[in-house]
């Protein structure tokens, strides 16, 4: 059997390698007075939000299909 690395140790090693190379990653760049988000970050956030919305709509459709025929009964008791 081989050796299995954990995600935590792998990400820690990647971070240490980036620090030793002198690479810097910024979520928001502030070259002038107004900070700007990194375009790669904005693209990732857009794709992630679209994926979340697609999953939510799919889940809603499945629940509606499964329970849509059950009548809603209102209660008069406060």
């Amino acid at each position: 059997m081989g050796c299995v690395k954990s995600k935590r140790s792998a990400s820690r090693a990647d971070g240490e390698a980036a620090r030793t190379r002198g690479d810097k990653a910024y979520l928001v760049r502030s070259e002038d007075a107004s900070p700007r988000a990194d375009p790669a970050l904005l693209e990732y956030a857009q794709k992630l939000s679209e994926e979340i919305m697609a999953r939510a709509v799919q889940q809603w459709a499945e629940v509606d299909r499964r329970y849509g025929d059950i009548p809603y009964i209102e209660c008069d008791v406060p």
Side-chain angles (χ1 to χ4, degrees):
M1 295 188 93
C3 178
V4 178
K5 290 183 179 180
S6 70
K7 288 183 180 181
R8 177 175 281 163
S9 65
S11 65
R12 188 178 301 149
D14 292 342
E16 290 172 4
R19 273 186 258 136
T20 58
R21 288 192 314 259
D23 294 341
K24 293 182 180 179
Y26 295 103
L27 296 179
V28 177
R29 295 181 186 177
S30 180
E31 295 171 355
D32 55 355
S34 62
R36 297 177 186 210
D38 187 7
L41 177 65
L42 293 175
E43 183 179 341
Y44 174 74
Q46 181 66 32
K47 287 181 182 179
L48 186 61
S49 65
E50 289 172 1
E51 182 180 323
I52 291 170
M53 285 301 299
R55 286 182 185 177
V57 169
Q58 181 182 9
Q59 183 180 11
W60 171 81
E62 290 174 5
V63 169
D64 189 54
R65 185 171 13 118
R66 188 178 304 158
Y67 301 110
D69 61 338
I70 298 174
Y72 179 76
I73 301 172
E74 293 188 28
C75 181
D76 293 336
V77 179

